[in-house]
Amino acid sequence: MAFKNSHQIQVYQTLRGSPSCDPRWIGTVFRGKKIAYCVIKAGVCFLLPSKRKDLSGEVVLITGGGRGIGRHLAKEFAKQGAKKVILWGRTEKCLKETCEEVTLGGSECHYFVCDVANREEVYRQAMVVREKVGDITILVNNAAVVHGKSLIDSDDDALLKSQHINTLGQFWTTKAFLPRMLELRRGHVVCINSILSLSSIPGAIDYCTSKASSLAFMESLTLGLLDCPGVACTTVLPFHTNTEMFQGMRVRFPQLFPPLKPEMVAQRTVDAMRTNTAFVYLPWTMRMLVLLKSFMPQHALEEIYKFSGTYSCMNTFKGRT
């Protein structure tokens, strides 16, 4: 660039050194404005009704779909208009019962016996589903087990079982169905996690560990799909839910912290998926627990656990019979 005099050179050098002309600085300002916009948008969406996705053409596969939250999810997706509902689980009797309930409601439903802990079986059954039913557009990773004992009292095989079903099972199912979703530019991966992934309790070390791993999996997957149009994730973190899996678990103040109803968890999950909400805490007050853990000293948290009964809530645990 040619300059006619020293004044022009000085002006150019001043402007060049100014942050307002630095592309990196401009990018930082733009990013900051975009972050502020996202925060404001989230606040507005929280206060105002959000647009919900139409489920009329969706094919939903639910792992652990034979009972508990999975059974209610199947009925809720069918109720809200899903085209087809597919159930996966290990117990054929439960799968058949749920399938019949959904079919009686007027929706198309199929079930396949599949243990998500078995990688080869997952991949094999995924091919069968595609051939017999079609492409899966909504995958709900719901299957889970809990051993319900301390580390010292736990059987090694039972500990491995929890990790294989609760954590690795998500790897296999997601790897089986996500590639086709990306091809179609249409899909949603849903995970039924637990608030115990963020706040562990004694007596459920296998479950808490596997759910923490599952949450990390979903956080990474959610970020990894940001630039993939039409494909998204939803993770639901419910408080203690009144199902057979946690039968016998007791908190000290059930009036203040009543167990959640599985049908409510199912309703909120489907709604979160339809509004493309990434993370859902049930109830919303569980966010306060995360906040408390971020600044309170460990000794204070321990006293809260003892006072609330969290410290001993698994002492009466029975689980599924």
Side-chain angles (χ1 to χ4, degrees):
M1 182 182 294
F3 298 99
K4 294 181 179 180
N5 53 53
S6 59
H7 176 69
Q8 289 181 347
I9 295 174
Q10 185 179 5
V11 170
Y12 173 75
Q13 290 176 339
T14 301
L15 290 173
R16 188 179 181 185
S18 171
S20 62
C21 292
D22 187 339
R24 293 172 297 179
W25 187 84
I26 294 173
T28 301
V29 172
F30 177 77
R31 184 67 62 183
K33 289 182 178 179
K34 191 169 184 180
I35 292 171
Y37 167 76
C38 291
V39 172
I40 295 171
K41 181 181 178 182
V44 172
C45 291
F46 179 77
L47 296 173
L48 300 176
S50 302
K51 183 179 179 181
R52 282 160 174 75
K53 180 179 181 179
D54 181 20
L55 298 181
S56 59
E58 305 297 331
V59 181
V60 187
L61 187 144
I62 304 167
T63 68
R67 52 189 169 187
I69 295 174
R71 175 172 290 188
H72 289 281
L73 281 168
K75 293 193 288 186
E76 189 63 29
F77 270 108
K79 178 182 175 182
Q80 296 203 29
K83 181 180 179 181
K84 300 176 185 178
V85 177
I86 294 92
L87 310 173
W88 272 12
R90 294 178 297 158
T91 309
E92 185 171 10
K93 178 177 179 293
C94 296
L95 291 171
K96 186 177 180 180
E97 290 174 355
T98 303
C99 187
E100 288 174 351
E101 285 187 37
V102 174
T103 304
L104 285 173
S107 300
E108 183 177 344
C109 186
H110 307 267
Y111 73 86
F112 301 84
V113 176
C114 182
D115 182 0
V116 297
N118 187 321
R119 181 182 57 189
E120 290 77 16
E121 186 175 344
V122 167
Y123 292 160
R124 183 170 60 252
Q125 288 290 52
M127 292 180 63
V128 173
V129 168
R130 277 192 289 269
E131 291 172 359
K132 293 188 175 182
V133 184
D135 291 317
I136 299 300
T137 57
I138 300 174
L139 169 65
V140 184
N141 285 314
N142 168 72
V145 295
V146 57
H147 188 41
K149 293 184 179 180
S150 68
L151 176 63
I152 304 302
D153 294 331
S154 296
D155 175 74
D156 289 356
D157 289 335
L159 290 175
L160 282 172
K161 180 180 177 181
S162 297
Q163 308 310 310
H164 283 298
I165 293 177
N166 300 2
T167 304
L168 289 175
Q170 286 188 95
F171 281 75
W172 316 143
T173 57
T174 306
K175 284 194 71 177
F177 295 109
L178 181 59
R180 183 57 176 160
M181 293 181 185
L182 294 172
E183 286 180 20
L184 296 172
R185 293 194 170 192
R186 176 187 177 187
H188 209 107
V189 179
V190 181
C191 170
I192 305 301
N193 200 276
S194 169
I195 200 63
L196 296 182
S197 64
L198 295 170
S199 183
S200 300
I201 59 173
I205 194 167
D206 62 319
Y207 186 81
C208 297
T209 304
S210 62
K211 286 299 183 180
S213 298
S214 168
L215 177 60
F217 171 85
M218 287 303 294
E219 287 178 332
S220 179
L221 184 66
T222 301
L223 289 173
L225 293 175
L226 286 179
D227 295 325
C228 301
V231 183
C233 296
T234 292
T235 304
V236 182
L237 298 97
F239 178 61
H240 167 44
T241 306
N242 189 18
T243 63
E244 288 182 351
M245 191 165 76
F246 273 96
Q247 186 176 355
M249 180 181 175
R250 295 286 183 271
V251 294
R252 186 175 181 184
F253 303 108
Q255 292 79 16
L256 290 176
F257 305 104
L260 302 177
K261 296 180 179 179
E263 52 265 44
M264 186 277 279
V265 175
Q267 290 168 1
R268 292 293 300 275
T269 298
V270 177
D271 190 64
M273 177 263 143
R274 293 185 66 188
T275 55
N276 204 25
T277 304
F279 294 92
V280 180
Y281 296 80
L282 296 177
W284 69 268
T285 49
M286 289 296 105
R287 290 182 178 270
M288 297 302 296
L289 180 62
V290 179
L291 180 63
L292 286 174
K293 287 193 68 176
S294 69
F295 70 86
M296 289 196 74
Q298 180 63 24
H299 291 304
L301 288 171
E302 290 168 0
E303 291 302 318
I304 291 175
Y305 289 149
K306 290 178 181 179
F307 177 74
S308 64
T310 304
Y311 184 77
S312 57
C313 65
M314 291 294 286
N315 289 354
T316 53
F317 174 79
K318 296 179 181 177
R320 288 196 181 112
T321 56

